[in-house]
Amino acid sequence: MTTTTHRIPPAELSGLSGALVKRMARRKVGRVPDSLGVAWHNRRVMRFMFGLGRKAERWDACDAQLKAFAHMATASVVGCSACLDFGYYQAHHAGLDLAKARQVPVWRGSDAFTALERDVLEYAEAMAQTPTAVTDELSTRLREALGAPALVELTAFIALANLYSRMNTALGMESEGLSASCDLPPLTLATATA
């Protein structure tokens, strides 16, 4: 599904570099998302953003499922359907709990999550607010449950999710239907209350 709301039209990924980016995208998600064409307008920024993501994927002090839920919660608060769509796609391919992943946007009304997962989701939402709304009590609970190294990692991961979500929404990026390939259509607050 291609969106027409990009605020910058996608550029053609050309040359040897473009061919390499297309090949990597097809290997990772099965096709070349329009968002790559938008990012292609400034390749230095694109490489920086991809580099951040690749480095963050190697962090291992905090549980991958907790970080995935936090990223989806951040995307949901910011309103980034592209990030939520990609988050569902990644959750499917990483073997995460898909029933829980689908409930992230409506986690407050769901009984699917553990107390720790609920604290992580609350933390992600609090970090997505402007100004941030993280409380000392919530931070203490998470530090006691996860340890300081994992909490630092979780915080950085949520900060990156804010960066990606806010950049995508500002550029008019929307879901490109990646999650449809794994039969996990995004559940948003709007569809949950309809």
Side-chain angles (χ1 to χ4, degrees):
M1 162 170 50
T2 302
T3 182
T4 58
T5 61
H6 303 310
R7 294 193 173 107
I8 298 174
E12 177 61 34
L13 280 69
S14 58
L16 187 57
S17 298
L20 179 62
V21 168
K22 286 179 188 178
R23 188 173 327 118
M24 289 172 52
R26 286 186 186 109
R27 190 174 330 137
K28 185 156 179 93
V29 297
R31 61 188 172 91
V32 181
D34 286 347
S35 55
L36 284 177
V38 174
W40 193 251
H41 286 287
N42 190 323
R43 293 178 208 165
R44 291 177 73 185
V45 171
M46 182 183 74
R47 283 191 298 272
F48 174 78
M49 299 294 280
F50 286 161
L52 278 175
R54 280 193 307 273
K55 288 178 181 177
E57 286 175 356
R58 291 193 298 263
W59 297 342
D60 62 0
C62 185
D63 179 74
Q65 183 156 278
L66 292 177
K67 292 186 294 188
F69 291 166
H71 190 150
M72 288 184 263
T74 301
S76 185
V77 169
V78 173
C80 183
S81 64
C83 292
L84 197 54
D85 179 43
F86 187 65
Y88 286 150
Y89 178 87
Q90 282 187 309
H92 171 77
H93 291 284
L96 302 181
D97 186 328
L98 298 181
K100 286 184 178 184
R102 192 161 193 283
Q103 293 294 313
V104 167
V106 294
W107 69 270
R108 290 182 188 277
S110 172
D111 60 0
F113 299 98
T114 67
L116 175 58
E117 290 166 342
R118 295 178 77 73
D119 280 348
V120 166
L121 293 165
E122 182 179 344
Y123 191 69
E125 284 187 356
M127 281 186 63
Q129 303 300 315
T130 304
T132 58
V134 174
T135 65
D136 291 341
E137 295 80 15
L138 179 57
S139 293
T140 299
R141 284 197 312 269
L142 284 169
R143 188 182 72 244
E144 289 172 354
L146 299 172
L151 181 54
V152 169
E153 181 176 308
L154 177 66
T155 303
F157 202 82
I158 295 167
L160 285 175
N162 270 285
L163 170 67
Y164 293 131
S165 296
R166 292 178 187 280
M167 184 171 176
N168 284 342
T169 56
L171 291 173
M173 301 299 194
E174 293 181 354
S175 168
E176 294 191 47
L178 295 174
S179 60
S181 69
C182 44
D183 294 325
L184 189 66
L187 177 66
T188 63
L189 190 53
T191 59
T193 57

